[in-house]
Amino acid sequence: MAARRLLGLLALAVLLAAADAGVTSAYRRKLEATADMPLDADVFRAPPGYNAPQQVHITLGDQTGTAMTVSWVTPDEPGNGTVAYGLSPETMVLSAKATLTRYDYYNYTSGFIHHCTLTKLKHGVKYYYAMGFGHTVRTFSFTTPPKPGPDVPFKFGLIGDLGQTFDSNSTVSHYEANGGDAVLFVGDLSYADNYPLHDNNRWDTWARFVERSVAYQPWLWTAGNHELDYDPEIGETTLFKPFTHRYPTPYRAAGSTEPFWYSVKIASAHIIVLSSYSSYGKYTPQWLWLSQELGRVDRKTTPWLIVLLHSPWYNSNNYHYMEGETMRVQFERWLVDAKVDIVLAGHVHSYERSRRFSNIEYDIVNGKATPVHNLDAPVYINIGDGGNIEGIADNFTKPMPAYSAFREASFGHATLEIKNRTHAYYEWHRNHDGAKVTADSVWLTNRYWMPTDDSN
Ligand SMILES: *[C@@H]1O[C@H](CO)[C@@H](O)[C@H](O)[C@H]1NC(C)=O
Ligand SMILES: *[C@@H]1O[C@H](CO)[C@@H](O)[C@H](O)[C@H]1NC(C)=O
Ligand SMILES: *[C@@H]1O[C@H](CO)[C@@H](O)[C@H](O)[C@H]1NC(C)=O
Ligand SMILES: *[C@@H]1O[C@H](CO)[C@@H](O)[C@H](O)[C@H]1NC(C)=O
Ligand SMILES: *[C@@H]1O[C@H](CO)[C@@H](O)[C@H](O)[C@H]1NC(C)=O
Ligand SMILES: [Fe+2]
């Protein structure tokens, strides 16, 4: 019986290989309801001590990481807004002052939110930092990214649509075990908006939950639809209100006018973050910024060009099918012309990786609407599989489109290890009922330095 099944599988594999078809993974996760961790879960616990700083997180404070922005919340009173930092816990002789903000959301009032940019940091150096002076002091550390250069290795974690379920906790644990140096987060953080009145206490629990990683290494934020928090029925009409109060981005350093689109340069990568939920039509600020930004990319210094956005342009899942289409039509040609290496998206709660395909010839009368193999095109990766409460998107379109290389309806995260200007190793890690399993991996070659056909 088992042998016959194996033979059948082999025959199928041969057939698939012959047709050069992509793979729709047959793996099925254990069927169980995705549930948010309860409010008394260990990962949500507030740190002990009066007015103890909580929800500590860091992100780049400038384009390359010689500045780092530290954010935290104090629950009882504003407290001391100074961050002390230095090369060891005993010599935190540098200091910087935070800005303080708060916001109301319907009948919720946030804690005291602090943002403090530590400047004059050196590349590739471990720093210790502490805050909460006068009451409860907490100390953390991070290592600044290496100076940008063409052959500087670096390992990114790729996470999206995380939420705060037991599966979300597995995703973070598996990422920690895989050991990346910074996270490219493709949007949809807390899913607080799934609660009545967008219960913003769930923004607080989320930030306490991820502190164990993001207090120690920068996560780069992309805005997703769950960051909009737009609810006119309860009088909340300021887009992205909780997100912008809580999660700063280094947009000014990138010549941007809004926190939702910006760029950074880490090691050998130039990373462009776009907003699927801000206008991007011709002449809009985001359109104008991107048109100029692509001209600022220097592949000799930062060979890898990576774009982050929330709503995918290539997605063969019936869930959110074609939602990213208008943005694709607006920008795909630019990205192909710029030879972007990878476009990372989330939104669809599944995993999918594309071959190098483009769909830029169609002009409304010529009928050329089918995506075609194109070695100048990026690989599109959907990692909206962080494990949030909305569950898995397991309804893929049939037949599998030619552009799709691999797709699977499971939760997990990915890692991208840039080795040098020509090679990067990409791996997707499925959360397999508690264990982590590498379920898809590929060597990617750089579109500028070695544009070989790498996407099979
Ligand atoms: C979350 O994961 C961490 C690390 O694996 C573990 O210590 C903790 O107990 C988990 N919490 C929940 C609520 O599952
Ligand atoms: C805040 O803490 C720093 C570091 O201990 C100290 O130098 C400063 O005087 C404190 N500020 C206030 C207003 O207490
Ligand atoms: C906000 O309003 C909801 C619904 O009326 C209520 O359940 C909740 O306790 C209120 N929260 C606060 C902080 O007043
Ligand atoms: C999958 O999606 C298609 C297209 O939206 C729909 O017709 C079909 O009913 C869905 N199948 C399931 C099992 O939900
Ligand atoms: C770049 O890295 C790849 C993968 O590790 C390796 O095979 C290749 O030799 C490296 N190139 C150079 C010029 O070192
Ligand atoms: Fe989303």
Side-chain angles (χ1 to χ4, degrees):
M1 189 62 202
R4 267 178 60 183
R5 267 230 320 261
L6 189 65
L7 267 179
L9 279 175
L10 278 175
L12 186 68
V14 169
L15 265 176
L16 286 174
D20 192 26
V23 176
T24 301
S25 170
Y27 173 76
R28 287 289 165 270
R29 66 189 293 266
K30 190 169 70 190
L31 280 177
E32 58 188 12
T34 308
D36 270 353
M37 293 181 281
L39 288 174
D40 62 359
D42 52 1
V43 294
F44 295 155
R45 226 172 270 150
Y50 176 74
N51 209 34
Q54 54 168 264
Q55 310 180 35
V56 178
H57 53 94
I58 64 171
T59 198
L60 263 61
D62 67 2
Q63 271 211 296
T64 68
T66 53
M68 201 67 84
T69 300
V70 175
S71 305
W72 74 97
V73 173
T74 45
D76 306 309
E77 56 170 289
N80 186 317
T82 295
V83 175
Y85 60 109
L87 298 175
S88 77
E90 294 77 37
T91 58
M92 294 188 282
V93 292
L94 302 167
S95 71
K97 275 208 75 70
T99 58
L100 179 66
T101 186
R102 295 189 91 171
Y103 71 92
D104 295 315
Y105 194 93
Y106 189 64
N107 65 355
Y108 165 93
T109 299
S110 75
F112 302 90
I113 304 173
H114 307 259
H115 301 296
C116 182
T117 299
L118 316 185
T119 57
K120 300 198 176 71
L121 306 174
K122 291 192 172 66
H123 284 293
V125 169
K126 183 168 184 179
Y127 287 92
Y128 291 82
Y129 68 100
M131 78 290 275
F133 297 104
H135 294 295
T136 305
V137 178
R138 294 184 72 204
T139 304
F140 302 88
S141 63
F142 59 78
T143 300
T144 49
K147 188 171 156 55
D151 296 294
V152 181
F154 197 83
K155 184 170 180 178
F156 291 104
L158 318 176
I159 302 178
D161 301 69
L162 186 57
Q164 43 192 304
T165 69
F166 292 94
D167 295 295
S168 320
N169 197 34
S170 297
T171 298
V172 172
S173 300
H174 294 167
Y175 168 60
E176 291 178 299
N178 283 329
D181 302 312
V183 167
L184 306 180
F185 192 91
V186 293
D188 283 359
L189 285 61
S190 75
Y191 288 76
D193 60 347
N194 278 342
Y195 284 84
L197 308 169
H198 299 228
D199 185 359
N200 274 231
N201 291 298
R202 281 284 176 175
W203 273 105
D204 294 309
T205 54
W206 192 80
R208 292 199 290 269
F209 154 49
V210 295
E211 183 191 89
R212 71 180 196 250
S213 174
V214 68
Y216 299 92
Q217 59 169 255
W219 287 30
L220 292 163
W221 306 110
T222 309
N225 53 309
H226 288 279
E227 277 67 70
L228 283 165
D229 281 308
Y230 174 72
D231 197 344
E233 282 180 20
I234 56 172
E236 290 298 343
T237 54
T238 305
L239 299 183
F240 303 112
K241 190 202 261 184
F243 178 65
T244 47
H245 280 85
R246 291 165 183 273
Y247 292 95
T249 68
Y251 69 98
R252 285 198 187 88
S256 167
T257 48
E258 296 280 346
F260 317 113
W261 57 89
Y262 63 98
S263 68
V264 295
K265 290 176 256 188
I266 295 181
S268 300
H270 187 123
I271 295 154
I272 295 179
V273 179
L274 298 178
S275 173
S276 299
Y277 304 98
S278 304
S279 47
Y280 43 74
K282 195 166 184 178
Y283 313 126
T284 59
Q286 183 169 211
W287 178 92
L288 189 63
W289 178 83
L290 181 60
S291 73
Q292 294 166 346
E293 176 66 11
L294 289 170
R296 290 190 281 259
V297 176
D298 173 12
R299 302 296 275 274
K300 294 189 169 66
T301 313
T302 48
W304 294 88
L305 181 51
I306 299 171
V307 173
L308 272 55
L309 45 86
H310 186 63
S311 185
W313 299 354
Y314 284 88
N315 157 43
S316 67
N317 197 301
N318 282 308
Y319 188 60
H320 295 316
Y321 190 61
M322 284 183 76
E323 282 184 20
E325 188 66 4
T326 51
M327 196 186 204
R328 182 190 68 77
V329 169
Q330 189 63 259
F331 290 142
E332 185 181 13
R333 183 178 291 277
W334 287 3
L335 299 204
V336 172
D337 287 350
K339 300 188 197 305
V340 167
D341 293 294
I342 305 168
V343 176
L344 296 169
H347 199 41
V348 180
H349 303 157
S350 236
Y351 170 69
E352 184 162 14
R353 174 174 59 82
S354 83
R355 305 179 196 288
R356 298 197 182 275
F357 265 66
S358 71
N359 188 3
I360 52 178
E361 295 307 324
Y362 184 53
D363 68 2
I364 223 164
V365 290
N366 65 10
K368 295 181 185 170
T370 306
V372 294
H373 190 51
N374 181 347
L375 288 185
D376 285 341
V379 163
Y380 293 87
I381 296 173
N382 290 3
I383 40 159
D385 56 344
N388 68 74
I389 194 175
E390 293 176 355
I392 210 86
D394 65 354
N395 184 347
F396 285 114
T397 60
K398 292 184 194 72
M400 187 171 183
Y403 68 72
S404 185
F406 185 95
R407 53 187 194 172
E408 180 177 315
S410 294
F411 293 138
H413 79 282
T415 50
L416 178 71
E417 283 177 73
I418 293 175
K419 302 289 186 186
N420 52 37
R421 74 186 68 191
T422 54
H423 285 76
Y425 186 60
Y426 166 84
E427 255 184 318
W428 176 65
H429 310 269
R430 159 204 301 157
N431 293 345
H432 182 161
D433 300 339
K436 72 182 164 65
V437 178
T438 299
D440 182 37
S441 61
V442 64
W443 278 97
L444 297 173
T445 52
N446 187 272
R447 289 306 91 189
Y448 181 85
W449 290 96
M450 192 189 267
T452 53
D453 192 2
D454 58 356
S455 62
N456 295 323

